[in-house]
Amino acid sequence: MSATITEQYTWFAACSTADVPSNGGVCIKYKDQQIALFHFTRRNEWYATQNMCPHRMQMALSRGLIGTAGGEPKVACPFHKKTFSLVDGRCMSGDDCGAIETYPVRVENGKVFIGVPDRETELF
């Protein structure tokens, strides 16, 4: 049986709130990662996910359409319309195309910060 250390986050300043379109997204580069950042203005909420759609491995989610399904915020890939929960990343299309990674977001003084996980360490 193994245990894991609780995941911690490294927070980085991604951009200004004015850099993200209302009810839309932008691509943020952090080290070697592309992160999709969304401002769901209608709900006054911010979300961040990986930018790569797992369906066809395209870096496109930041250009996707955001909306809701049953009250849950989601993003639809602009190419093949696969939808993913902005809350937990699961595929909502009824397909087995895999989940996407999600990241915590906070806004302070007009700046948007994204939390990138420090990878878990397994203990034996």
Side-chain angles (χ1 to χ4, degrees):
M1 182 175 205
S2 67
T4 57
I5 295 174
T6 304
E7 200 169 57
Q8 300 293 318
Y9 294 97
T10 298
W11 291 88
F12 73 95
C15 63
S16 166
T17 55
D19 295 332
V20 185
S22 294
N23 298 307
V26 294
C27 180
I28 302 292
K29 182 134 176 156
Y30 177 72
K31 295 186 179 180
D32 62 347
Q33 298 179 35
Q34 288 188 28
I35 297 174
L37 174 65
F38 303 98
H39 184 196
F40 206 146
T41 313
R42 292 184 304 261
R43 296 172 59 103
N44 193 31
E45 296 171 345
W46 292 83
Y47 298 95
T49 70
Q50 69 185 48
N51 194 36
M52 185 179 68
C53 177
H55 174 238
R56 295 287 173 113
M57 305 304 191
Q58 294 170 303
M59 295 292 189
L61 291 180
S62 63
R63 298 184 310 229
L65 298 173
I66 59 174
T68 58
E72 185 169 357
K74 66 177 183 170
V75 61
C77 177
F79 293 114
H80 303 100
K81 308 303 183 236
K82 301 291 183 192
T83 58
F84 302 91
S85 167
L86 289 171
V87 175
D88 63 14
R90 77 184 182 292
C91 182
M92 299 173 76
S93 300
D95 302 289
D96 189 23
C97 61
I100 60 173
E101 190 164 358
T102 60
Y103 307 98
V105 179
R106 68 180 189 222
V107 176
E108 296 175 0
N109 301 318
K111 297 280 186 199
V112 182
F113 295 85
I114 299 173
V116 179
D118 299 329
R119 293 295 158 198
E120 292 182 346
T121 302
E122 284 197 30
L123 304 174
F124 295 92

